[in-house]
């Protein structure tokens, strides 16, 4: 409400240029609208985190600087309303509408992403993620946050565009031991689910900062790379998940594919410096997609789907997972001409 700042149930109807809202009496909406929000010149904030105990709020600011706070019943409903309202706001600009849908359905994390920077922002006392006490199956956990709260925070702070991107980013934070699951709900997911499903965008899944997040991440083993192999033209780059050679665990790495000379390097996104943590020449390599049904030979852990393998000239096997079949095909097509 604008005068008394209480929350009331209203029936909303979205039109092409305005949002109407009606009073509801005895389960029926009144025939005439109680009010309207003109969408021309509006800005929308979703998720809006101004109300700590109301994570399902959308904020609309009109051209005359009037703020409207609208609370939905679920995250799916909130995001659906936000997308449709944004489409109505930009209805006269079809290019912006196309860009909106492209962003929502795309998977493209920031190229120069720094997980250290994200964690620092998360820990900020005023703008960071809110830590609360949570109770799960009789156990009380201090200073935790839910999976869906972290996804909301990542989107509202412009680290991700869509919930899919935010879940991928949260998975990276968990894979690199910046955050850890606590309680049965989130811990079970890490044991039995695929990598893409190990972090839960769920209000009942609990997480907390890992104690080791402040540890020195500099490796004892210094890797040296010839300047010439890093001077090639960048053909393709992006985030993929790679199986380690010693511990056989899976970690997110930023891969950079170069030509002239043909090399594939991978970087640790948790490190501030821009030096690769591994790489190899593509000359004489074999690259192929792996079957999506079952766990292929050589792959450890409950990992399947969108996998491909690179065998080097020295018979070293690299197992890599893409986020989709299309992305896997793009990487294979880009690598093959350079082998």
């Amino acid at each position: 409400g604008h005068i008394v700042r209480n929350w009331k149930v209203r029936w909303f109807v979205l039109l092409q240029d305005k949002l109407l809202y009606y009073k509801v009496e005895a389960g029926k909406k009144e025939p005439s609208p109680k009010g309207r929000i003109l969408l021309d010149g509006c800005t929308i904030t979703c998720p809006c985190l101004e109300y700590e105990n109301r994570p399902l709020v959308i904020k609309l600011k009109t051209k005359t600087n009037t703020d409207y706070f609208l609370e939905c019943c679920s995250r799916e409903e909130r995001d659906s309303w936000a997308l449709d309202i944004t489409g109505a706001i930009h209805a006269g600009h079809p290019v912006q509408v196309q860009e909106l849908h492209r962003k929502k359905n795309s998977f493209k994390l920031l190229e120069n992403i720094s997980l250290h920077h994200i964690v620092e922002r998360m820990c900020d006392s005023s703008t960071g993620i809110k830590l609360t006490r949570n109770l799960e199956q009789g156990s009380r956990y201090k200073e935790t946050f839910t999976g869906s709260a972290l996804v909301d925070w990542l989107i509202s702070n412009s680290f991700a565009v869509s919930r899919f991107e935010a879940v991928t980013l949260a998975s990276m934070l968990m894979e690199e031991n910046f955050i850890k699951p606590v309680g049965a709900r989130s811990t079970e997911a890490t044991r039995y689910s695929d990598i893409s499903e190990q972090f839960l965008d769920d209000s009942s899944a609990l997480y907390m900062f890992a104690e080791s997040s402040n540890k020195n991440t500099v490796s004892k083993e210094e890797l040296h790379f010839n300047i010439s192999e890093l001077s090639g033209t960048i053909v393709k780059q992006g985030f993929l998940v790679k199986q380690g050679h010693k511990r056989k665990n899976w970690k997110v790495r930023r891969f950079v594919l170069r030509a002239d000379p043909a090399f594939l390097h991978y970087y640790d996104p948790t490190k501030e410096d821009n030096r690769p943590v591994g790489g190899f020449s593509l000359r004489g390599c074999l690259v192929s997609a792996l079957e999506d049904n079952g766990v292929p030979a050589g792959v450890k852990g409950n990992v399947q789907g969108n996998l491909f393998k690179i065998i080097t000239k020295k018979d070293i096997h690299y197992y890599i997972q893409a986020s989709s079949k299309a992305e896997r095909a793009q990487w294979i097509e880009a690598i093959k001409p350079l082998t």
Side-chain angles (χ1 to χ4, degrees):
H2 286 294
I3 300 171
V4 180
R5 297 287 180 176
N6 54 352
W7 294 82
K8 293 181 179 179
V9 175
R10 294 288 183 257
W11 181 268
F12 280 84
V13 177
L14 176 62
L15 302 179
Q16 188 170 359
D17 59 346
K18 55 182 162 290
L19 191 60
L20 304 179
Y21 53 94
Y22 299 77
K23 283 186 72 174
V24 178
E25 292 289 346
K28 295 181 179 179
K29 77 178 180 70
E30 293 187 346
S32 300
K34 176 76 174 172
R36 63 180 184 171
I37 305 170
L38 298 177
L39 297 177
D40 180 44
C42 261
T43 57
I44 184 169
T45 304
C46 179
C48 171
L49 304 182
E50 292 186 30
Y51 289 89
E52 186 175 334
N53 297 321
R54 294 182 180 271
L56 305 179
V57 170
I58 297 169
K59 178 182 177 182
L60 285 175
K61 182 184 281 291
T62 67
K63 194 160 57 174
T64 56
N65 288 326
T66 303
D67 290 340
Y68 290 88
F69 295 93
L70 317 176
E71 185 174 34
C72 301
C73 298
S74 67
R75 280 179 167 80
E76 292 76 19
E77 189 177 73
R78 180 198 65 187
D79 294 346
S80 177
W81 271 100
L83 185 68
D84 290 337
I85 292 170
T86 306
I89 291 171
H90 298 303
H93 308 279
V95 174
Q96 287 182 313
V97 177
Q98 289 176 6
E99 179 67 10
L100 170 74
H101 284 275
R102 186 195 67 76
K103 283 184 176 180
K104 180 174 173 58
N105 298 317
S106 70
F107 172 52
K108 186 178 181 182
L109 291 168
L110 300 173
E111 293 294 346
N112 298 319
I113 202 161
S114 166
L115 298 187
H116 279 288
H117 174 61
I118 292 174
V119 173
E120 284 176 8
R121 289 278 300 276
M122 285 175 67
C123 293
D124 189 280
S125 57
S126 57
T127 60
I129 192 163
K130 303 300 180 187
L131 302 177
T132 57
R133 291 185 178 185
N134 281 286
L135 192 67
E136 187 193 78
Q137 296 180 347
S139 300
R140 187 177 296 278
Y141 300 98
K142 295 180 180 179
E143 298 190 329
T144 61
F145 47 87
T146 66
S148 53
L150 177 54
V151 169
D152 284 350
W153 185 89
L154 289 169
I155 295 171
S156 67
N157 284 272
S158 303
F159 289 114
V161 172
S162 66
R163 300 194 78 78
F164 180 69
E165 281 187 16
V167 168
T168 304
L169 197 48
S171 300
M172 292 167 64
L173 291 170
M174 193 166 67
E175 281 288 313
E176 300 299 340
N177 205 29
F178 284 101
I179 63 173
K180 65 180 182 181
V182 288
R185 179 91 173 87
S186 53
T187 304
E188 265 185 41
T190 63
R191 292 174 181 166
Y192 304 110
S193 299
D194 295 339
I195 283 179
S196 59
E197 300 170 354
Q198 286 187 2
F199 179 87
L200 300 178
D201 179 7
D202 193 304
S203 58
S204 64
L206 302 181
Y207 299 88
M208 67 188 302
F209 290 111
E211 292 179 357
S212 57
S213 62
N214 295 322
K215 70 182 181 181
N216 187 355
T217 57
V218 177
S219 173
K220 294 177 182 178
E221 183 182 351
E222 289 292 332
L223 293 170
H224 298 282
F225 295 91
N226 191 314
I227 294 175
S228 64
E229 70 183 68
L230 296 171
S231 64
T233 304
I234 294 178
V235 175
K236 185 175 178 60
Q237 60 180 315
F239 290 95
L240 297 166
V241 185
K242 173 187 164 294
Q243 180 177 267
H245 288 294
K246 294 179 181 177
R247 294 177 58 193
K248 303 298 181 185
N249 55 346
W250 291 82
K251 290 191 175 182
V252 175
R253 294 290 181 250
R254 181 170 66 87
F255 279 78
V256 177
L257 177 63
R258 293 181 172 90
D260 300 321
F263 273 83
L264 184 62
H265 294 98
Y266 47 95
Y267 298 73
D268 185 344
T270 68
K271 294 185 177 179
E272 298 290 348
D273 60 23
N274 199 33
R275 291 182 299 174
V277 294
F280 51 90
S281 170
L282 290 171
R283 294 299 178 201
C285 282
L286 297 174
V287 58
S288 61
L290 298 178
E291 293 293 331
D292 285 340
N293 51 343
V295 180
V299 173
K300 301 295 182 183
N302 188 17
V303 180
Q304 52 188 307
N306 310 322
L307 291 166
F308 64 99
K309 177 171 71 171
I310 302 175
I311 304 175
T312 69
K313 202 173 180 178
K314 297 179 180 179
D315 199 32
I316 299 173
H317 294 225
Y318 289 85
Y319 296 95
I320 302 168
Q321 184 179 42
S323 64
S324 66
K325 288 183 180 179
E327 187 185 40
R328 174 176 67 181
Q330 290 167 9
W331 274 98
I332 292 173
E333 287 172 13
I335 292 170
K336 272 187 175 178
L338 302 177
T339 59

